[in-house]
Amino acid sequence: MSSTHTVTNQVPPLVGHDPIAGDTALVEACLRHADPLTLDSLEDLGALAGSEQAAEWGRLANENPPRLRTHDRTGHRIDEVEFHPAWHDLMGAAVGHGLAGTPWALAEAGDAHAHVRRAVGYLGWTQVEAGHGCPVTMTYAVVPALRRAPELAVVFEPGLTSTSYEFGLADPRSKAGLVAGMGMTEKQGGSDVRAGTTKAVARIDGTYHLTGHKWFTSAPMSDLFLVLAQTEEGVSCFLVPRMLPDGERNVFRLQRLKDKLGDRSNASSEVEFDRTVGWLVGSPGVGCGPSWRWSPPPGWTACWARRRPCGPR
């Protein structure tokens, strides 16, 4: 080969570097908030994160982004997203190592450092590939919110806290592991979710019908979603599964996938709801939060509206 193709100014591929044990700040934080055993329990995950195999998964997942399939070859609406196998390898490793909802179950069983272990492992593992961290994080975040509806949590929390990754459309009650997504923002309000126009209408069976358009719904192939919609009381939170208990598909029409500059491995989508079935989570009118509203202390300015630091008058 010609000498003009000799590369002399590039470092070799970073293979064999453990991004957990090799990160001094991360190790210090783990030991400060947990203990050496917690750090030792992440040894396998760190080794995998530093492997050539994991690096290849990350490369393939980003070079082969998800593809939207709104209809099958016979014209039937299917609203599915296809992923490269490397995406599933990444997801399987993350969920299998307890980086999704597992810490909530471990903490309830007496593991005092379950959430620290997850945080340290997540920071190390997602250096391999960041996009799949989105559904992993949402699954973790859904568990405490879903506990606002104990009757739903008892059904779905075992799947959300599982270390099994099971991709595919099926009744979530029958699956060994569940992944959760979220549908919050809309074209009308952007990050101001109070301005959303998706409506939720109560039905006599205790469920709600949701109708509206979500501007950004991440990980649309998840099993369950937390979705915000307007009720008479205000913005409320709903659990929306892709598959209903009777075996029918819930109405979850994927309009398009976002054409993004980064995070290309993950599917972010626009979704149309049309009498989509959902279950209320928590109290109506308070979104995904507790049943109380925060009021600023006397003497404090409306600092957010004025775009300046908060403080007393």
Side-chain angles (χ1 to χ4, degrees):
M1 182 175 291
S2 170
S3 61
T4 59
H5 291 276
T6 301
V7 180
T8 59
N9 67 339
Q10 296 295 315
V11 298
L14 188 61
V15 175
H17 170 72
D18 185 332
I20 298 175
D23 187 326
T24 302
L26 195 56
V27 168
E28 181 182 337
C30 184
L31 296 177
R32 180 185 303 169
H33 297 287
D35 54 28
L37 289 177
T38 300
L39 184 63
D40 291 343
S41 70
L42 295 166
E43 182 177 352
D44 290 344
L45 180 61
L48 179 60
S51 69
E52 188 174 359
Q53 176 65 81
E56 183 70 357
W57 290 342
R59 182 187 72 83
L60 290 171
N62 279 273
E63 291 187 2
N64 298 274
R67 300 179 64 184
L68 175 61
R69 301 293 189 191
T70 56
H71 296 76
D72 65 15
R73 64 184 181 85
T74 59
H76 295 92
R77 184 120 198 175
I78 56 173
D79 295 297
E80 293 287 340
V81 179
E82 295 178 353
F83 292 88
H84 190 275
W87 167 268
H88 300 300
D89 291 328
L90 291 165
M91 287 293 297
V95 174
H97 282 85
L99 303 184
T102 306
W104 298 103
L106 295 178
E108 292 232 321
D111 186 342
H113 303 311
H115 293 286
V116 175
R117 181 185 298 106
R118 185 258 173 193
V120 174
Y122 181 89
L123 288 171
W125 172 250
T126 52
Q127 293 182 45
V128 174
E129 198 286 316
H132 78 290
C134 179
V136 172
T137 298
M138 289 190 295
T139 304
Y140 175 75
V142 159
V143 175
L146 195 59
R147 288 177 175 178
R148 303 292 304 176
E151 71 282 2
L152 297 175
V154 72
V155 176
F156 298 115
E157 191 169 318
L160 292 169
T161 59
S162 170
T163 54
S164 297
Y165 173 66
E166 186 177 333
F167 182 79
L169 183 64
D171 184 343
R173 299 170 302 173
S174 69
K175 299 182 72 172
L178 301 176
V179 174
M182 297 184 186
M184 308 293 178
T185 60
E186 301 184 13
K187 293 178 288 187
Q188 294 77 10
S191 59
D192 181 6
V193 296
R194 297 169 301 176
T197 62
T198 297
K199 302 292 185 183
V201 178
R203 306 171 67 203
I204 59 174
D205 63 358
T207 64
Y208 285 74
H209 271 161
L210 278 61
T211 301
H213 184 107
K214 288 297 178 182
W215 179 245
F216 197 95
T217 298
S218 195
M221 289 298 96
S222 299
D223 302 290
L224 307 167
F225 297 81
L226 290 186
V227 176
L228 294 182
Q230 299 282 1
T231 62
E232 292 182 357
E233 295 83 359
V235 179
S236 305
C237 183
F238 297 89
L239 181 72
V240 175
R242 282 205 301 139
M243 177 72 79
L244 295 172
D246 61 5
E248 294 292 321
R249 286 173 173 261
N250 209 354
V251 181
F252 204 87
R253 298 196 181 114
L254 301 180
Q255 303 303 301
R256 69 180 181 120
L257 299 185
K258 298 294 189 179
D259 187 9
K260 299 176 289 184
L261 293 175
D263 188 27
R264 294 179 58 82
S265 67
N266 180 39
S268 302
S269 63
E270 292 181 38
V271 178
E272 193 83 20
F273 297 135
D274 183 8
R275 295 170 62 83
T276 301
V277 179
W279 282 261
L280 182 66
V281 176
S283 302
V286 294
C288 294
S291 55
W292 49 265
R293 296 182 183 274
W294 180 83
S295 298
W300 280 65
T301 62
C303 54
W304 178 253
R306 292 170 171 79
R307 299 296 193 270
R308 57 189 175 86
C310 291
R313 296 183 185 274

